Each structure stands twice: as C-alpha cells, then as structure tokens.
Amino acid sequence: MTEVLPATFTLITLSYRSGDNIAPCLAAMTAQDADIIHADNGGDLDMTALAQIFPTVRQIANPINLGFAVGMNRAAAQSQADWIGLINPDAFLDADWLDSMKAAIAGHPDVRIFTSLQLDAEHPDRLDGAGDAMSFFGFPYRAGIGHAVPPRMDIAEVFAPCGAAMLIRRDLWGQLGGFDESFFCYCEDADLGFRARLMGERCLFVPQAVVRHIGSASLGVRSDFALYHGYRNRLWLYARNMPLSLLIATLPIHIGMTLIVALKDVLKGKGRIVFRALRDSVLGLRPILMDRKLIQKTRQIGPLRLAKSLTWSLVKIATRAIDHRKIT
C-alpha cells in the first residue's frame, strides 16, 4: 500500500511600506506549521534585520514595487508545497489558523480554495470580512465588513476568497495562472475566485480560521491609488468573467451603478482620478477581451449555475452584508 504523506503548506506575505506591521505578521505566520516566504516590493524595510529576527523565513527583496499580483505570483513560484496561503502584511493569524484550515481541508477534500474569518484588528467585535461576494451586476465586495461578529458562524460556501488571508491548492493556482498581473493591485483576488468558479470550483469560508486585519495599513483608506485601481480593475473583472447572457442582462445596471458611484467621488473632489481610471479601463479593454475569449471557452459551468452564486439582494449589496450559502 502506498503511504499517503501529510499535506505541505507555504504561507506567503508581500509587503510594501509595511514597517509597523510586518514583524507581528511574520511572528504570527512562523507560529504555524508551514514554510514561510516574505517578499518586499522595494519598500523601506531592513531585510537583513528581519532575516536575523526570523531566520526560518525566506526573504525576497524586489528592487521596485511590482504590484500585489506580480509580487505574489513570483513569491508563489518559489513554493513546492501542496497548499499556498496568501496573507496580507497587516493581517495577523491566530495561533490555530492553519490547524483550522487543515481540519476544513480534511472535511472537504474536494474543495481547493478556503478563506478566513477576518476581524477588525482594532475592533475585534466587528467583522473585517467573511469571504468575498459578487453582486449580480459585477461589483465585488468584502462580505460583512463593518458588521458585528455574529454569535455563531458555520463553514459555508462564498463566491470568492479575500486575498488578505486565503489558502489555495498549488495545482489549482497553477491551472489559474495565479493572479492576473494586468490588475497590478486590487480585485485580483475576486478575479481569481471568479475564474475558479467558472472552472467549477467552490470556495469555503472557515470561521474557525481567524485573522485580525488592519486593512489598507500600507496605503491609507480609499487612497487615490486604491480609487484608481478599484474603478479600472472592477470593469476588467466584469468584462473578463461574466458570461455573455448575464453580461447583456446586467450591463446597463453595471454602467448605471458605476456612474452613481463616480458621481459621489466627483463630488468629493476625486473627479480627475475617476475620469483617468474609467478612461484607462476602456482603453485597456482589448487584451481583457482577448482573455475573455479563453476564459469563456474553457469554463465548466453555465450562466444559470453561476447566477445562483451571485448576490441578488439589493439590501445585502448596499450594506455589504454576509452572503453565505449552505454546503451541498
């Protein structure tokens, strides 16, 4: 009889101007039973000092800011483990995070993507997220953010993982080609989850796998950088992945909601950034539509099955409420 070896894990974090958070992040990661990789995107960290504090961590110093997608892809290419965990540098894993993930894997051996229960690091009675949801008109959102932590949460299916703290089998990561590098930063995790779902994969939320997340610690809340990439990448995410029948049905709503949100940001004095982001999203559509042909040609599920996984409740969308599905 062939001996079945235990699964192996690599946890990866990618920092950029994360000096206040990277040490506690790495301390929490090294407490897990896994190989650890830390890559830095040309920030202000003393990598030599970090290597001395955390001698078991593989340190990668990128000379420039490659962006989250490229930086994570390059770091993940260094892993030979069965599973890859992606952790934000401002996210702090509970001591039993990986043990909880292992239990979920054992209980659901057909699932290849798992995501965490994220608590607000400063207000742990509040959710930072419970998986990512996708509105029926193509706007992704972090489910439950800002809501009180429910008294009970069960393992459940969600649309996509949140890139702040997720786990994916390395073979699936390879099949998907990792994060799409044209996104640079923002929405790349929702895009990865969307493409996986089109392949027939499911993502499970594991409430026992707890992470405390600061959120936007490196860049500031709703920075101009985040605003620009949010607008641009949201359109690309929608254009690449939404099947044609759903695209035709929801495109007027997608455009209308984009204009409503844009108007609010224009009134906040962000008109120039919004215009540049929308312009660049349209000008950059050609390669996105080329990607779309392959994604739609190779997808394994039909529009109706995908539609069942989208969030249709306007109340849930407006309030960013949890949208969990029972595991079937």
Side-chain angles (χ1 to χ4, degrees), residues 117 127 130 148-156 205 207-208 322 324 326:
L117 169 60
L127 289 172
V149 178
R152 173 177 173 174
M153 303 186 78
D154 297 320
I155 191 167
F205 162 75
Q208 296 81 15
I322 292 172
H324 289 173
K326 290 183 178 181

Side-chain angles (χ1 to χ4, degrees), residues 9 12 24 27 45 72 75 99-100 121 129 143 176 186 228 230-231 235 277 282 287 290-291 295 312 322:
F9 298 81
I12 303 170
L45 293 178
M72 274 296 192
D99 288 338
S100 297
L176 294 168
Y186 293 100
Y228 171 84
Y231 272 96
L235 174 61
V282 174
M290 292 178 65
D291 290 343
I295 292 171
W312 292 85
I322 292 172

Side-chain angles (χ1 to χ4, degrees), residues 82-325:
D82 301 311
W83 290 86
I84 297 173
L86 308 178
I87 312 298
N88 272 11
D90 56 355
F92 315 117
L93 306 178
D94 274 12
D96 60 352
W97 182 87
L98 187 54
D99 288 338
S100 297
M101 284 295 194
K102 289 178 179 179
I105 291 168
H108 305 276
D110 60 324
V111 177
R112 296 194 285 176
I113 311 179
F114 296 86
T115 194
S116 307
L117 169 60
Q118 296 170 205
L119 304 181
D120 186 317
E122 296 182 359
H123 306 282
D125 60 333
R126 293 280 163 182
L127 289 172
D128 178 74
D132 279 4
M134 179 68 66
S135 73
F136 66 93
F137 50 85
F139 275 38
Y141 71 91
R142 196 182 302 169
I145 186 169
H147 289 251
V149 178
R152 173 177 173 174
M153 303 186 78
D154 297 320
I155 191 167
E157 183 176 341
V158 294
F159 184 85
C162 177
M166 59 173 283
L167 199 63
I168 182 170
R169 271 200 65 97
R170 188 167 61 88
D171 56 358
L172 177 58
W173 175 266
Q175 289 172 0
L176 294 168
F179 290 132
D180 187 274
E181 296 183 356
S182 64
F183 280 56
F184 191 79
C185 191
Y186 293 100
C187 293
E188 68 288 311
D189 50 354
D191 173 76
L192 182 86
F194 207 141
R195 289 185 287 122
R197 185 162 289 277
L198 290 175
M199 288 175 58
E201 299 289 334
R202 295 184 298 161
C203 175
L204 294 191
F205 162 75
V206 184
Q208 296 81 15
V210 178
V211 57
R212 297 166 201 279
H213 186 217
I214 294 176
S216 301
S218 300
L219 298 170
V221 177
R222 295 295 288 176
S223 65
D224 291 351
F225 178 89
L227 195 67
Y228 171 84
H229 287 86
Y231 272 96
R232 189 195 67 174
N233 294 351
R234 188 168 56 209
L235 174 61
W236 288 356
L237 162 72
Y238 174 69
R240 280 161 54 92
N241 296 301
M242 194 67 79
L244 183 60
S245 58
L246 291 173
L247 186 74
I248 293 172
T250 61
L251 183 58
I253 304 173
H254 182 91
I255 293 174
M257 290 302 300
T258 298
L259 294 176
I260 290 172
V261 174
L263 178 60
K264 292 181 179 179
D265 285 322
V266 168
L267 294 176
K268 295 177 182 177
K270 301 294 184 179
R272 182 174 297 181
I273 297 168
V274 171
F275 173 79
R276 183 164 62 91
L278 293 176
R279 178 200 64 194
D280 291 351
S281 67
V282 174
L283 292 177
L285 271 178
R286 184 175 180 179
I288 296 300
L289 295 178
M290 292 178 65
D291 290 343
R292 173 185 172 80
K293 290 182 180 180
L294 179 61
I295 292 171
Q296 299 303 320
K297 182 178 180 180
T298 57
R299 64 180 168 89
Q300 300 297 309
I301 65 171
L304 180 59
R305 182 173 165 188
L306 174 67
K308 291 179 179 179
S309 67
L310 301 175
T311 300
W312 292 85
S313 168
L314 294 177
V315 174
K316 286 185 177 181
I317 294 168
T319 60
R320 297 189 174 188
I322 292 172
D323 191 13
H324 289 173
R325 312 297 170 86

Side-chain angles (χ1 to χ4, degrees), residues 13-17 38-43 60-78 179-186 188 219 225 229 232-233:
T13 191
L14 175 69
S15 58
Y16 178 66
R17 298 180 180 176
H38 166 229
D40 182 65
N41 263 349
I60 301 173
N62 297 319
I64 60 173
N65 183 9
L66 301 174
F68 184 81
V70 175
M72 274 296 192
N73 284 353
R74 290 192 180 184
Q78 303 298 312
F179 290 132
D180 187 274
E181 296 183 356
S182 64
F183 280 56
F184 191 79
C185 191
Y186 293 100
E188 68 288 311
L219 298 170
F225 178 89
H229 287 86
R232 189 195 67 174
N233 294 351

